[in-house]
Amino acid sequence: MFPALYLTRAESGATEAALRTLSPDDLPEGEVLVRVSHSTLNYKDALAITGKSPVVRSFPMVPGIDFAGTVERSADARFAPGDAVVLNGWGTGETRWGGLAGYATTRADWLVPLPAGMSAQQAMSIGTAGYTAMLCVMALEAHGMQPDAGPVLVTGANGGVGSIAIALLARLGYTVTASTGRPEETEHLHALGASAIIDRTALGSPGKPLQKENWAAAIDAVGSHTLANVLASTRYGGVVAACGLAQGMDLPASVAPFILRGVTLAGVDSVYAPLARRRIAWQRLAAELPAELIARNTRVVGLAEALALAPELLAGRVRGRVVVDVNR
Ligand code: NDP
């Protein structure tokens, strides 16, 4: 028997989330059975747990879009009992049961071997948010961005994606400006590697289609007016990697930055990113993120606390990453 967060839908349509004890027989079929040691609370998990957005496609559901653990049994020759693995995306926690439980079943094609030297807890301190931050960095690089091009803006700076994006960019030698609604976290953002901080209200309202050319590049986790203003203030030939919608899903922008400044808007999806890109991203995360830095950016909680934290995360009151020790 093992503990799990368990989501059901009430007759009213509301999502009901509870801590349950399940047996291995309750798990859906899957090529690989993983004994989960850690999962995380990502923005999407908070949406699933609270039912604030239709993230969950079928009920009952075990949420958790990512997990790290050890293979217990595998019908696929690529994995053997005892292998340390990490998984994120592919609809895990949305269309099939996810990682906020003691065990999970999954497909071998979706698993990535845990990089050497990285623990399950460290992998989840990075989690989907950190891995998405790395995909954003890789998107900037794929469009020719280099540290000497000029300052890079990161929005949603205190969130999971933003905080790790800052750390990664700073380690690579970029000069990073962090946009945040929490000036009280200035010290933490500097410790991550931001050299300047701006108040996010400067970007959050409708702005002019072309503004002062401030940024060589940007990583945006916020969307809506913020992304429109980021595009409008990106320098000639710059690149903006967009991955999130913390402010909103809309993009009230004009084509002016694209057709007059040659700005590139690079979309980043982590859920269905091909395996080869995932492996590169996880290897780079293992090599480029110092362990003490990700530890400082992380809070470790149990399954019950994760339930309580979900609305807090959606309200933007959680700093950095929340790792869930599913056995706590
Ligand atoms: P978090 O909740 O950890 O962080 C989001 C941050 O955005 C907050 O901490 C806050 O930062 C800022 N923020 C919150 N609300 C607003 C607002 N109304 N206006 C402006 N800024 C706001 O989430 P994650 O970092 O995990 O995810 C960030 C976004 O990226 C989410 O929308 C998520 O769905 C998306 N995402 C997308 C992925 C993909 O595959 N494309 C993968 C992972 C995440 P501060 O307090 O510093 O201002």
Short mmCIF file of all heavy atoms in Angstrom, two decimals, residues 41-44 47 65 128-129 132 155-162 179-182 189 200 220-222 226 242-248 268-271 313-318 320-321, ligand 1:
data_model
loop_
_atom_site.label_atom_id
_atom_site.label_comp_id
_atom_site.label_asym_id
_atom_site.label_seq_id
_atom_site.Cartn_x
_atom_site.Cartn_y
_atom_site.Cartn_z
N LEU A 41 5.58 20.27 -6.94
CA LEU A 41 4.35 21.02 -7.13
C LEU A 41 4.66 22.10 -8.15
O LEU A 41 5.30 23.10 -7.84
CB LEU A 41 3.88 21.62 -5.81
CG LEU A 41 2.49 22.24 -5.82
CD1 LEU A 41 1.41 21.18 -6.00
CD2 LEU A 41 2.25 23.01 -4.52
N ASN A 42 4.24 21.85 -9.40
CA ASN A 42 4.40 22.84 -10.46
C ASN A 42 3.11 23.66 -10.58
O ASN A 42 2.07 23.28 -10.04
CB ASN A 42 4.66 22.15 -11.79
CG ASN A 42 6.03 21.50 -11.85
OD1 ASN A 42 7.03 22.17 -12.03
ND2 ASN A 42 6.08 20.19 -11.70
N TYR A 43 3.18 24.72 -11.36
CA TYR A 43 2.01 25.57 -11.60
C TYR A 43 0.84 24.72 -12.11
O TYR A 43 -0.29 24.84 -11.64
CB TYR A 43 2.40 26.63 -12.64
CG TYR A 43 1.41 27.75 -12.80
CD1 TYR A 43 1.47 28.89 -11.99
CD2 TYR A 43 0.41 27.70 -13.77
CE1 TYR A 43 0.57 29.93 -12.15
CE2 TYR A 43 -0.50 28.73 -13.93
CZ TYR A 43 -0.40 29.85 -13.12
OH TYR A 43 -1.30 30.88 -13.27
N LYS A 44 1.15 23.81 -13.05
CA LYS A 44 0.09 22.98 -13.64
C LYS A 44 -0.49 22.01 -12.60
O LYS A 44 -1.69 21.72 -12.63
CB LYS A 44 0.68 22.20 -14.82
CG LYS A 44 -0.34 21.88 -15.89
CD LYS A 44 0.29 21.04 -16.98
CE LYS A 44 0.27 21.77 -18.31
NZ LYS A 44 0.91 20.95 -19.36
N LEU A 47 -2.96 23.92 -10.63
CA LEU A 47 -4.21 24.07 -11.39
C LEU A 47 -5.03 22.79 -11.31
O LEU A 47 -6.25 22.82 -11.14
CB LEU A 47 -3.91 24.39 -12.87
CG LEU A 47 -3.34 25.77 -13.19
CD1 LEU A 47 -3.00 25.87 -14.67
CD2 LEU A 47 -4.33 26.89 -12.82
N ILE A 65 2.97 16.21 -12.56
CA ILE A 65 3.44 16.14 -13.95
C ILE A 65 4.87 15.66 -14.04
O ILE A 65 5.40 15.51 -15.14
CB ILE A 65 3.26 17.49 -14.68
CG1 ILE A 65 4.11 18.60 -14.04
CG2 ILE A 65 1.79 17.88 -14.73
CD1 ILE A 65 4.12 19.90 -14.88
N THR A 128 9.98 19.99 -13.65
CA THR A 128 9.51 20.47 -14.95
C THR A 128 9.85 21.95 -15.13
O THR A 128 10.23 22.39 -16.22
CB THR A 128 8.00 20.25 -15.09
OG1 THR A 128 7.75 18.85 -15.04
CG2 THR A 128 7.48 20.80 -16.41
N ALA A 129 9.72 22.73 -14.04
CA ALA A 129 9.98 24.16 -14.15
C ALA A 129 11.44 24.42 -14.56
O ALA A 129 11.71 25.20 -15.49
CB ALA A 129 9.67 24.85 -12.82
N THR A 132 12.15 23.24 -18.04
CA THR A 132 11.60 24.20 -19.01
C THR A 132 12.50 25.43 -19.11
O THR A 132 12.71 25.96 -20.21
CB THR A 132 10.17 24.61 -18.58
OG1 THR A 132 9.39 23.42 -18.49
CG2 THR A 132 9.55 25.56 -19.58
N THR A 155 11.14 37.11 -16.68
CA THR A 155 9.90 37.50 -15.98
C THR A 155 9.42 36.35 -15.10
O THR A 155 9.82 35.20 -15.28
CB THR A 155 8.81 37.89 -16.99
OG1 THR A 155 8.47 36.74 -17.77
CG2 THR A 155 9.26 39.02 -17.90
N GLY A 156 8.53 36.66 -14.16
CA GLY A 156 8.09 35.64 -13.20
C GLY A 156 9.27 35.14 -12.40
O GLY A 156 9.41 33.95 -12.12
N ALA A 157 10.14 36.09 -12.00
CA ALA A 157 11.49 35.75 -11.53
C ALA A 157 11.51 34.86 -10.29
O ALA A 157 12.38 34.02 -10.15
CB ALA A 157 12.27 37.03 -11.26
N ASN A 158 10.55 35.04 -9.39
CA ASN A 158 10.57 34.23 -8.17
C ASN A 158 9.89 32.88 -8.33
O ASN A 158 9.87 32.07 -7.40
CB ASN A 158 9.91 35.00 -7.01
CG ASN A 158 10.91 35.90 -6.32
OD1 ASN A 158 11.89 35.43 -5.78
ND2 ASN A 158 10.67 37.20 -6.39
N GLY A 159 9.29 32.64 -9.48
CA GLY A 159 8.63 31.36 -9.72
C GLY A 159 9.64 30.27 -10.04
O GLY A 159 10.86 30.50 -10.09
N GLY A 160 9.12 29.05 -10.25
CA GLY A 160 9.99 27.92 -10.52
C GLY A 160 10.80 28.09 -11.80
O GLY A 160 12.03 27.94 -11.80
N VAL A 161 10.13 28.45 -12.90
CA VAL A 161 10.83 28.62 -14.18
C VAL A 161 11.79 29.81 -14.08
O VAL A 161 12.98 29.71 -14.42
CB VAL A 161 9.83 28.86 -15.34
CG1 VAL A 161 10.58 29.19 -16.62
CG2 VAL A 161 8.93 27.64 -15.54
N GLY A 162 11.26 30.94 -13.58
CA GLY A 162 12.05 32.17 -13.56
C GLY A 162 13.31 32.03 -12.70
O GLY A 162 14.41 32.42 -13.13
N SER A 179 12.42 40.40 -13.44
CA SER A 179 11.18 41.15 -13.26
C SER A 179 10.31 40.41 -12.24
O SER A 179 9.99 39.24 -12.43
CB SER A 179 10.43 41.26 -14.59
OG SER A 179 9.10 41.68 -14.36
N THR A 180 9.93 41.10 -11.18
CA THR A 180 9.19 40.44 -10.09
C THR A 180 8.17 41.37 -9.46
O THR A 180 8.34 42.60 -9.50
CB THR A 180 10.16 39.94 -8.99
OG1 THR A 180 9.41 39.24 -8.00
CG2 THR A 180 10.94 41.08 -8.34
N GLY A 181 7.15 40.76 -8.86
CA GLY A 181 6.20 41.53 -8.07
C GLY A 181 6.55 41.47 -6.60
O GLY A 181 5.80 41.96 -5.76
N ARG A 182 7.67 40.81 -6.28
CA ARG A 182 8.07 40.64 -4.87
C ARG A 182 9.44 41.25 -4.61
O ARG A 182 10.45 40.54 -4.55
CB ARG A 182 8.08 39.16 -4.51
CG ARG A 182 6.67 38.60 -4.35
CD ARG A 182 6.68 37.15 -3.98
NE ARG A 182 6.70 36.28 -5.15
CZ ARG A 182 6.71 34.95 -5.08
NH1 ARG A 182 6.75 34.35 -3.91
NH2 ARG A 182 6.70 34.23 -6.18
N LEU A 189 17.06 36.91 -5.29
CA LEU A 189 17.25 36.98 -6.75
C LEU A 189 18.70 37.33 -7.09
O LEU A 189 19.26 36.79 -8.05
CB LEU A 189 16.28 38.00 -7.36
CG LEU A 189 14.79 37.61 -7.24
CD1 LEU A 189 13.88 38.76 -7.66
CD2 LEU A 189 14.50 36.37 -8.10
N ARG A 200 7.51 44.25 -11.66
CA ARG A 200 6.75 43.70 -12.79
C ARG A 200 5.57 44.59 -13.23
O ARG A 200 5.05 44.43 -14.33
CB ARG A 200 6.25 42.30 -12.45
CG ARG A 200 5.04 42.25 -11.53
CD ARG A 200 4.67 40.82 -11.22
NE ARG A 200 3.36 40.74 -10.60
CZ ARG A 200 2.94 39.70 -9.89
NH1 ARG A 200 3.72 38.66 -9.72
NH2 ARG A 200 1.73 39.69 -9.37
N ASP A 220 10.27 34.49 -20.85
CA ASP A 220 9.00 34.97 -20.29
C ASP A 220 8.13 33.82 -19.84
O ASP A 220 7.75 32.96 -20.63
CB ASP A 220 8.25 35.81 -21.33
CG ASP A 220 6.90 36.24 -20.78
OD1 ASP A 220 6.90 37.00 -19.79
OD2 ASP A 220 5.86 35.79 -21.29
N ALA A 221 7.77 33.83 -18.54
CA ALA A 221 6.89 32.81 -17.97
C ALA A 221 5.50 33.38 -17.69
O ALA A 221 4.70 32.75 -17.03
CB ALA A 221 7.50 32.26 -16.68
N VAL A 222 5.22 34.59 -18.20
CA VAL A 222 4.06 35.35 -17.73
C VAL A 222 3.00 35.59 -18.80
O VAL A 222 1.80 35.60 -18.51
CB VAL A 222 4.58 36.68 -17.11
CG1 VAL A 222 3.45 37.62 -16.78
CG2 VAL A 222 5.40 36.39 -15.85
N THR A 226 2.55 41.45 -20.27
CA THR A 226 3.98 41.38 -19.95
C THR A 226 4.78 40.94 -21.17
O THR A 226 5.77 41.58 -21.54
CB THR A 226 4.21 40.41 -18.76
OG1 THR A 226 3.50 40.91 -17.64
CG2 THR A 226 5.69 40.27 -18.43
N ALA A 242 9.19 32.19 -24.98
CA ALA A 242 7.94 32.29 -24.21
C ALA A 242 7.48 30.91 -23.81
O ALA A 242 7.33 30.02 -24.65
CB ALA A 242 6.86 32.96 -25.06
N CYS A 243 7.25 30.72 -22.50
CA CYS A 243 6.83 29.39 -22.04
C CYS A 243 5.63 29.42 -21.12
O CYS A 243 5.09 28.37 -20.81
CB CYS A 243 7.99 28.67 -21.34
SG CYS A 243 8.39 29.38 -19.73
N GLY A 244 5.20 30.58 -20.64
CA GLY A 244 4.18 30.55 -19.58
C GLY A 244 3.08 31.57 -19.72
O GLY A 244 3.08 32.43 -20.63
N LEU A 245 2.13 31.47 -18.80
CA LEU A 245 0.93 32.31 -18.85
C LEU A 245 0.48 32.77 -17.47
O LEU A 245 -0.71 32.89 -17.20
CB LEU A 245 -0.20 31.57 -19.57
CG LEU A 245 -0.45 30.09 -19.24
CD1 LEU A 245 -0.76 29.84 -17.80
CD2 LEU A 245 -1.52 29.51 -20.13
N ALA A 246 1.45 33.02 -16.56
CA ALA A 246 1.09 33.37 -15.18
C ALA A 246 0.21 34.62 -15.12
O ALA A 246 -0.65 34.74 -14.26
CB ALA A 246 2.34 33.55 -14.33
N GLN A 247 0.40 35.58 -16.05
CA GLN A 247 -0.50 36.74 -16.09
C GLN A 247 -1.74 36.43 -16.92
O GLN A 247 -2.83 36.87 -16.59
CB GLN A 247 0.21 37.98 -16.65
CG GLN A 247 -0.72 39.21 -16.61
CD GLN A 247 -0.08 40.47 -17.16
OE1 GLN A 247 0.91 40.45 -17.88
NE2 GLN A 247 -0.66 41.61 -16.80
N GLY A 248 -1.58 35.70 -18.02
CA GLY A 248 -2.72 35.39 -18.87
C GLY A 248 -2.30 34.70 -20.15
O GLY A 248 -1.12 34.74 -20.53
N VAL A 268 8.21 27.72 -26.36
CA VAL A 268 8.86 26.58 -25.68
C VAL A 268 7.79 25.71 -25.03
O VAL A 268 6.99 26.18 -24.22
CB VAL A 268 9.85 27.08 -24.60
CG1 VAL A 268 10.37 25.91 -23.77
CG2 VAL A 268 11.02 27.80 -25.28
N ASP A 269 7.77 24.44 -25.43
CA ASP A 269 6.88 23.45 -24.81
C ASP A 269 7.73 22.36 -24.18
O ASP A 269 8.61 21.80 -24.83
CB ASP A 269 5.95 22.82 -25.84
CG ASP A 269 5.31 21.57 -25.27
OD1 ASP A 269 4.54 21.70 -24.30
OD2 ASP A 269 5.61 20.46 -25.74
N SER A 270 7.42 22.04 -22.93
CA SER A 270 8.19 20.99 -22.27
C SER A 270 7.50 19.63 -22.35
O SER A 270 8.16 18.60 -22.25
CB SER A 270 8.39 21.35 -20.80
OG SER A 270 7.16 21.29 -20.11
N VAL A 271 6.18 19.64 -22.53
CA VAL A 271 5.39 18.42 -22.34
C VAL A 271 5.71 17.36 -23.39
O VAL A 271 5.88 16.19 -23.08
CB VAL A 271 3.88 18.74 -22.32
CG1 VAL A 271 3.06 17.47 -22.13
CG2 VAL A 271 3.57 19.75 -21.23
N LEU A 313 0.50 28.66 -4.38
CA LEU A 313 1.35 28.75 -5.56
C LEU A 313 0.63 29.53 -6.67
O LEU A 313 1.22 30.40 -7.32
CB LEU A 313 1.72 27.35 -6.05
CG LEU A 313 2.80 27.34 -7.13
CD1 LEU A 313 3.90 26.35 -6.81
CD2 LEU A 313 2.23 27.00 -8.49
N LEU A 314 -0.67 29.24 -6.84
CA LEU A 314 -1.41 29.96 -7.89
C LEU A 314 -1.53 31.44 -7.57
O LEU A 314 -1.62 32.27 -8.48
CB LEU A 314 -2.82 29.36 -8.05
CG LEU A 314 -2.87 27.95 -8.65
CD1 LEU A 314 -4.31 27.51 -8.84
CD2 LEU A 314 -2.13 27.88 -9.99
N ALA A 315 -1.51 31.77 -6.28
CA ALA A 315 -1.60 33.18 -5.89
C ALA A 315 -0.23 33.87 -5.97
O ALA A 315 -0.10 35.03 -5.63
CB ALA A 315 -2.15 33.28 -4.47
N GLY A 316 0.79 33.14 -6.43
CA GLY A 316 2.11 33.74 -6.60
C GLY A 316 2.81 33.98 -5.27
O GLY A 316 3.65 34.86 -5.15
N ARG A 317 2.44 33.19 -4.24
CA ARG A 317 3.04 33.42 -2.92
C ARG A 317 4.10 32.37 -2.57
O ARG A 317 4.58 32.32 -1.44
CB ARG A 317 1.95 33.44 -1.84
CG ARG A 317 1.10 34.71 -1.89
CD ARG A 317 0.30 34.90 -0.61
NE ARG A 317 -0.81 33.99 -0.55
CZ ARG A 317 -2.04 34.27 -0.95
NH1 ARG A 317 -2.31 35.47 -1.43
NH2 ARG A 317 -3.00 33.38 -0.87
N VAL A 318 4.44 31.51 -3.54
CA VAL A 318 5.47 30.50 -3.28
C VAL A 318 6.73 30.92 -4.02
O VAL A 318 6.68 31.33 -5.17
CB VAL A 318 5.00 29.11 -3.79
CG1 VAL A 318 6.15 28.12 -3.75
CG2 VAL A 318 3.85 28.60 -2.94
N GLY A 320 10.39 30.04 -5.62
CA GLY A 320 11.25 28.96 -6.11
C GLY A 320 10.49 27.66 -6.30
O GLY A 320 9.36 27.66 -6.76
N ARG A 321 11.12 26.55 -5.88
CA ARG A 321 10.58 25.23 -6.19
C ARG A 321 10.06 24.52 -4.94
O ARG A 321 10.63 24.64 -3.85
CB ARG A 321 11.70 24.37 -6.79
CG ARG A 321 12.28 24.97 -8.05
CD ARG A 321 11.38 24.69 -9.24
NE ARG A 321 11.24 23.27 -9.46
CZ ARG A 321 10.05 22.65 -9.63
NH1 ARG A 321 8.94 23.31 -9.62
NH2 ARG A 321 10.03 21.35 -9.82
P1 NDP B 1 5.22 29.69 -10.46
O1 NDP B 1 3.84 29.85 -9.93
O2 NDP B 1 6.26 29.04 -9.64
O3 NDP B 1 5.78 31.11 -10.91
C1 NDP B 1 5.07 32.04 -11.65
C2 NDP B 1 5.60 33.42 -11.28
O4 NDP B 1 5.00 34.38 -12.16
C3 NDP B 1 5.22 33.87 -9.87
O5 NDP B 1 6.10 33.40 -8.90
C4 NDP B 1 5.27 35.37 -10.02
O6 NDP B 1 6.63 35.77 -9.93
C5 NDP B 1 4.82 35.59 -11.47
N1 NDP B 1 3.39 35.94 -11.55
C6 NDP B 1 2.35 35.30 -10.96
N2 NDP B 1 1.19 35.91 -11.26
C7 NDP B 1 1.50 36.96 -12.05
C8 NDP B 1 0.75 38.00 -12.67
N3 NDP B 1 -0.59 38.07 -12.54
N4 NDP B 1 1.39 38.91 -13.41
C9 NDP B 1 2.73 38.86 -13.54
N5 NDP B 1 3.51 37.92 -12.98
C10 NDP B 1 2.90 36.98 -12.24
O7 NDP B 1 5.04 28.91 -11.85
P2 NDP B 1 6.17 28.19 -12.73
O8 NDP B 1 7.40 29.00 -12.68
O9 NDP B 1 6.20 26.75 -12.40
O10 NDP B 1 5.52 28.33 -14.17
C11 NDP B 1 5.47 29.61 -14.78
C12 NDP B 1 4.58 29.56 -16.01
O11 NDP B 1 5.19 28.70 -16.97
C13 NDP B 1 3.18 29.00 -15.74
O12 NDP B 1 2.26 29.71 -16.52
C14 NDP B 1 3.29 27.56 -16.21
O13 NDP B 1 2.05 27.05 -16.62
C15 NDP B 1 4.26 27.71 -17.38
N6 NDP B 1 4.99 26.50 -17.70
C16 NDP B 1 5.01 26.11 -18.99
C17 NDP B 1 5.71 25.01 -19.39
C18 NDP B 1 5.76 24.66 -20.83
O14 NDP B 1 5.99 23.49 -21.17
N7 NDP B 1 5.59 25.62 -21.72
C19 NDP B 1 6.38 24.15 -18.40
C20 NDP B 1 6.40 24.70 -17.05
C21 NDP B 1 5.69 25.84 -16.73
P3 NDP B 1 7.05 37.11 -9.12
O15 NDP B 1 6.42 36.99 -7.77
O16 NDP B 1 8.54 37.07 -9.11
O17 NDP B 1 6.49 38.28 -9.89
#
